[in-house]
Amino acid sequence: MRLIPRLLNRAVHAGWRWVDRAGEIVPGTRAAEEFGSFGAGSCIDFPPATILNASSIHLGERTLVGRQVTLSVGWGTNEQALPPRGLVVGDRCVIGARTSITAHESIEIGDDVFFGQGVFVTDASHGYQVPDRPVGAQFGPSDPVVVGAGSWIGHHAVLLPGTRLGRNVVVAAGSIVRGVVEDHAVVAGNPARVVRRYEPGVGWVGSRGDVRPVLADDLDFLDEAVTG
């Protein structure tokens, strides 16, 4: 009797793996052709959450988007004036599962950016200052978001409208970020603040004055795995 459940379990998992592979959005699929551009070697895992107005979304080459991710531009499907490049994701990026990136004017993510899971990024929010109107019906102004190349965005971080991250910025898990962050900085908290920054000739200086050394770049063995 144990054989039948074992065979059923094996069949279910084999079928699920087949569905995963068959449902991926990759170059050459009809779903990929709906995007503004979809780079060679890129993949959106199955199942996605929401893909809204794909013609305004551009993915670079060799970028991996995890399952249950939302990529959207605009407020709905019937908009007539969408930005042609509302959401741009660079080459060799990783967008973690259950992340939501919602653009209304412009969100630009540079090359080699890694997102943890459950990250939320938006370039627009709601207002609240009209007392008799529901808050959800008070659309606020858009403010573009930029994530610099080489940055790392930790699990469940939030990037609010107007966020502009420099190159190789680390956003700690759970942080809520707004405003400009310089290159080679580590930010954490709500609201996020710089807790460590790179100072040439000194090292990585913390907000309390402690210094961590600069490490030699001896991770060449990872380059091919990350960049192909």
Side-chain angles (χ1 to χ4, degrees):
M1 295 297 293
R2 294 173 60 89
L3 179 60
I4 293 176
R6 181 181 178 89
L7 291 175
L8 286 174
N9 180 270
R10 182 176 179 181
V12 167
H13 282 275
W16 188 259
R17 287 193 296 270
W18 182 89
V19 169
D20 276 348
R21 291 193 298 270
E24 291 177 345
I25 302 176
V26 295
T29 60
R30 183 174 180 177
E33 292 168 355
E34 296 177 355
F35 282 69
S37 58
F38 201 103
S42 289
C43 174
I44 299 178
D45 284 345
F46 182 83
T50 300
I51 306 293
L52 178 64
N53 295 319
S55 62
S56 295
I57 302 173
H58 299 260
L59 292 186
E61 297 183 355
R62 290 177 285 173
T63 283
L64 174 63
V65 178
R67 63 185 63 201
Q68 297 290 350
V69 166
T70 290
L71 303 176
S72 70
V73 176
W75 297 102
T77 57
N78 298 319
E79 288 191 61
Q80 300 298 314
L82 290 168
R85 295 176 64 83
L87 172 55
V88 179
V89 182
D91 298 337
R92 300 175 302 277
C93 294
V94 176
I95 308 298
R98 296 177 297 281
T99 286
S100 181
I101 306 175
T102 60
H104 301 86
E105 179 181 344
S106 175
I107 294 178
E108 183 175 346
I109 298 169
D111 297 338
D112 303 301
V113 172
F114 285 64
F115 279 51
Q117 297 184 17
V119 174
F120 179 67
V121 185
T122 184
D123 64 354
S125 186
H126 57 75
Y128 60 87
Q129 293 172 273
V130 181
D132 296 326
R133 180 182 291 272
V135 171
Q138 299 187 45
F139 300 137
S142 299
D143 196 349
V145 172
V146 177
V147 179
S151 294
W152 168 267
I153 314 301
H155 288 358
H156 301 290
V158 176
L159 306 186
L160 293 172
T163 296
R164 292 168 178 81
L165 305 183
R167 295 176 58 88
N168 283 48
V169 168
V170 174
V171 176
S175 298
I176 299 181
V177 187
R178 186 193 294 273
V180 178
V181 179
E182 64 194 76
D183 294 351
H184 302 288
V186 180
V187 299
N190 176 16
R193 294 181 172 84
V194 175
V195 296
R196 193 169 297 276
R197 58 168 50 89
Y198 172 62
E199 295 187 13
V202 179
W204 291 90
V205 180
S207 56
R208 298 181 179 181
D210 60 305
V211 179
R212 293 181 180 177
V214 174
L215 300 180
D217 186 0
D218 57 356
L219 300 179
D220 292 342
F221 70 94
L222 289 177
D223 287 350
E224 184 173 352
V226 173
T227 66

